[in-house]
Amino acid sequence: MFIHCKRNLHIQEGSESLNLKNGFVGEIDDRWAKHWYINAAISDRTIVTTDTTEKPAKKGKKSAEPEEPSEDSTNITDTTEKPAE
């Protein structure tokens, strides 16, 4: 997996370890790419991959379409007087 790491990271698994320096750009082994810590770093954008070029959608965000006013909603009208000409 091709990555760009934005912080120093160190992962130790038994006798094997992975050290990523701040600013590292390059390939990591698929074994490390599947590691939970790498996936967490991808989720919080500490590591950027070619698959994460767009920001993930935030959970619970409402759709961009405006809601239709319900029958119970209060209508607000602009009552500001316009200056006489």
Side-chain angles (χ1 to χ4, degrees), residues 10-66:
H10 175 78
I11 304 171
Q12 183 76 38
E13 281 270 331
S15 63
E16 296 181 10
S17 65
L18 174 68
N19 288 309
L20 298 173
K21 300 285 183 187
N22 181 16
F24 172 80
V25 176
E27 290 281 331
I28 61 171
D29 187 54
D30 287 338
R31 172 182 139 36
W32 292 110
K34 295 176 184 175
H35 195 276
W36 69 269
Y37 194 80
I38 296 294
N39 287 318
I42 291 169
S43 294
D44 76 1
R45 312 279 294 162
T46 299
I47 292 177
V48 181
T49 70
T50 55
D51 298 334
T52 59
T53 54
E54 294 182 25
K55 286 189 175 182
K58 292 183 180 180
K59 293 181 181 177
K61 189 174 181 180
K62 293 184 178 181
S63 65
E65 296 178 18

